[in-house]
Amino acid sequence: MGDCCRDAQPFRLCSGLRFLGYIMILLVFAIVAVSYYAVIVVAWGPQLLHGGLLSILAFVIVLLFHLLLVLLLWSYFMVVFHDPGAVPVGWQPALKGTYSALENSVILADHIAIDAGESDFSSAEGSGRRPSIRYCSHCQNNKPPRCHHCSVCQRCVLKMDHHCVWVVNCVGARNYKFFLLFLFYTFLETILDSLALLPHFIKFFGDARNHSGSPGNLAVTFLSFVLNVAFALSLLCFVVMHTSLVLSNTTTIEVYEKKKAVEWKYDLGKRKNFEQVFGSNKLFWFFPLFSKNDLHDVPALHGLDFPTRSDIEV
């Protein structure tokens, strides 16, 4: 069946993106290394030894730099290595008013491309009616709500948002929070780096004109400043976009579907929408972790069951 699916898959050539993804991982670490050398080794590390207010400022910058670096790398590795969510074999939706036990199914994800090979059908058993059930003809399995098929890694992903080549993984129900934190901390890091390097970037032109300073250090400072400004501007767009998506309880894929709906059934209000992704425990909001209580009390974090608005018929 797997060979048959691959032969019928129009996006199979996109599997080459896996190789590109590994290059992007190396690029991430290269950018981190260049920024670290420019900000810490060249610009502000030596200022720690000079004393006075400049040393205090250097200490604050160095401390913030390392704190954000740890948080963004922690979040990054969680996105890369954490499974976005796989559909349990033989999954069936719970009857209305009940909640089925969640099964742990961890399958390593590669890449995402949306596939149209899916169908809907409804069924009823006894007095309890089941909601409309979608079926994936490739996986030969039912599809939970908000689930979509990955046409490259040949499986369905729970509450799929998108495929991100930067993390060589797809972003779904179980790693979306980690992805958002990665975006957020990377954005803050690039802003910090840009501001920290701005005086040295201005000084760069004087040093280059007077041929003073190390050519290597000048080049690294210039390159790091340009890269961080460029990434800060681009990441700002993504941070704003995903903030809007989280507060409306919408995935990137669902934006088009939401436009066709008069009322979005998953929109529970900004606070509850936020908790559907980050959990309700505030102590864990800024870390790529979930509390045990949230994993138990917020079914949406598992990607199989989602609360809907009571005033909209599902």
Side-chain angles (χ1 to χ4, degrees):
M1 181 189 72
D3 293 337
C4 177
C5 287
R6 280 191 291 271
D7 292 340
Q9 183 48 253
F11 296 101
R12 59 183 176 178
L13 295 179
C14 292
S15 59
L17 290 176
R18 182 180 305 180
F19 177 73
L20 176 61
Y22 295 132
I23 294 179
M24 300 304 281
I25 288 181
L26 294 177
L27 181 59
V28 168
F29 286 106
I31 294 173
V32 169
V34 169
S35 298
Y36 190 93
Y37 184 83
V39 175
I40 303 302
V41 177
V42 175
W44 291 99
Q47 304 297 333
L48 292 172
L49 305 177
H50 290 178
L53 293 177
L54 191 60
S55 292
I56 297 176
L57 178 60
F59 175 78
V60 172
I61 291 175
V62 170
L63 179 63
L64 287 176
F65 181 95
H66 285 92
L67 177 61
L68 291 174
L69 181 62
V70 169
L71 290 171
L72 81 84
L73 288 178
W74 184 10
S75 301
Y76 182 72
F77 285 124
M78 289 296 288
V79 182
V80 172
F81 294 111
H82 199 84
D83 181 72
V87 183
V89 177
W91 174 85
Q92 291 287 341
L95 292 173
K96 288 186 178 181
T98 66
Y99 178 66
S100 58
L102 295 172
E103 298 178 47
N104 290 324
S105 178
V106 179
I107 304 174
L108 190 62
D110 292 321
H111 301 279
I112 287 297
I114 305 174
D115 182 74
E118 57 186 58
S119 59
D120 294 354
F121 66 89
S122 299
S123 63
E125 294 184 8
S127 59
R129 288 188 58 83
R130 292 184 182 275
S132 177
I133 306 173
R134 297 183 303 154
Y135 183 78
C136 178
S137 58
H138 293 295
C139 297
Q140 301 290 300
N141 197 12
N142 294 331
K143 299 179 68 173
R146 315 182 78 175
C147 173
H148 293 274
H149 185 78
C150 168
S151 60
V152 175
C153 66
Q154 296 295 317
R155 67 155 180 164
C156 289
V157 176
L158 300 174
K159 196 190 174 187
M160 187 183 76
D161 186 86
H162 73 289
H163 153 65
C164 181
V165 69
W166 288 92
V167 301
V168 203
N169 201 357
C170 49
V171 178
R174 299 178 185 177
N175 67 352
Y176 186 42
K177 174 188 176 181
F178 311 148
F179 172 77
L180 294 175
L181 289 177
F182 168 61
L183 278 184
F184 178 66
Y185 289 129
T186 304
F187 173 67
L188 293 183
E189 183 73 271
T190 55
I191 291 294
L192 174 66
D193 293 356
S194 299
L195 294 176
L197 291 174
L198 180 59
H200 299 271
F201 178 76
I202 297 173
K203 185 173 177 290
F204 162 83
F205 295 99
D207 291 343
R209 185 167 46 251
N210 299 328
H211 301 287
S212 60
S214 168
N217 289 344
L218 292 177
V220 170
T221 300
F222 180 85
L223 177 62
S224 179
F225 178 80
V226 172
L227 284 175
N228 277 281
V229 170
F231 274 98
L233 293 175
S234 60
L235 285 171
L236 175 62
C237 299
F238 283 104
V239 169
V240 171
M241 181 188 76
H242 280 282
T243 298
S244 174
L245 292 176
V246 169
L247 295 180
S248 63
N249 205 345
T250 312
T251 66
T252 302
I253 294 175
E254 292 171 340
V255 169
Y256 177 73
E257 179 183 349
K258 182 183 177 184
K259 287 181 180 179
K260 297 188 296 182
V262 178
E263 298 282 354
W264 185 238
K265 62 183 180 181
Y266 297 114
D267 189 354
L268 308 175
K270 289 181 173 57
R271 175 60 180 262
K272 290 186 177 179
N273 291 341
F274 182 85
E275 292 177 352
Q276 295 292 298
V277 176
F278 284 82
S280 59
N281 192 326
K282 298 178 182 179
L283 295 177
F284 287 80
W285 281 357
F286 297 98
F287 301 99
L289 296 170
F290 290 109
S291 68
K292 291 183 178 180
N293 288 338
D294 281 339
L295 290 175
H296 180 269
D297 298 334
V298 186
L301 297 178
H302 295 274
L304 290 172
D305 187 63
F306 301 94
T308 55
R309 290 173 53 172
S310 58
D311 59 333
I312 297 178
E313 185 176 351
V314 180

